[in-house]
Amino acid sequence: LGRRLADMPCLLVATRRPAATSSDFDAVRDALRARGAVVAELELGQLAGSDVKRVVTAVAPSLDAVRVRQVIRAADGNPLFAREGARAAAAGEDPAEGLRATIRSSLGRLPPPARLLVEVAATAARPLEMTEVADAVGVDAAQDAFIAGCDSGLLEPAEHSARFVHELRDALGHPQATR
């Protein structure tokens, strides 16, 4: 890729989630970097409330201020959740219903160990240490389940832990665990 593009003006943008590892992606990035083609790497966080509001009002401009605030709160800085929540609210549904459908859809595409890990993390309502991840899904499946959960956007990695990314734990049909 780098050799073919060397003489062409172009912008190449590649994305991946922080915990995702891909030897193919790393090899391409390293080859492009060696040729001086990688100018910047950006780490993106959650959207600010004002940016989420722009997403919500672009998708559903007729929502009143109260509904817009509900969607913003439910989206938790995630632009996909903002869009889906706004669509649900515009259809007269609970803004969280669009988010629940998105979460359920993402969850359904995961392999069983990753699905179990996301469900455990959602129920725990706190970051899970990596030893707990291994306890939940088995040592042999822990790394793949963790990566798949993070790639789906349902888990967020932290140093030596993972947490469910959204407050809508009931979207998975599990109440928050009590201590």
Side-chain angles (χ1 to χ4, degrees), residues 17 110 114 117-118 144-156:
R17 299 196 184 278
L110 291 174
L117 176 57
V118 170
D144 289 342
F146 174 76
I147 291 170
C150 291
D151 283 350
S152 73
L154 296 174
L155 291 181
E156 180 178 84

Side-chain angles (χ1 to χ4, degrees), residues 47-61 68 72 82 86:
L47 292 180
S50 60
D51 295 325
V52 174
K53 182 178 181 179
R54 278 195 285 270
V55 171
V56 171
T57 57
V59 171
V68 169
I72 291 169

Side-chain angles (χ1 to χ4, degrees), residues 158-173:
E159 189 172 334
H160 307 295
S161 67
R163 74 172 189 94
F164 185 66
V165 299
H166 208 275
E167 296 303 317
L168 289 173
R169 290 174 182 87
D170 64 335
L172 299 176

Side-chain angles (χ1 to χ4, degrees), residues 97-124:
E97 193 52 44
L99 307 179
R100 287 184 190 104
T102 300
I103 291 170
R104 280 192 225 106
S105 175
S106 294
L107 187 65
R109 290 189 297 270
L110 291 174
R115 189 175 318 126
L116 174 61
L117 176 57
V118 170
E119 290 174 349
V120 168
T123 302

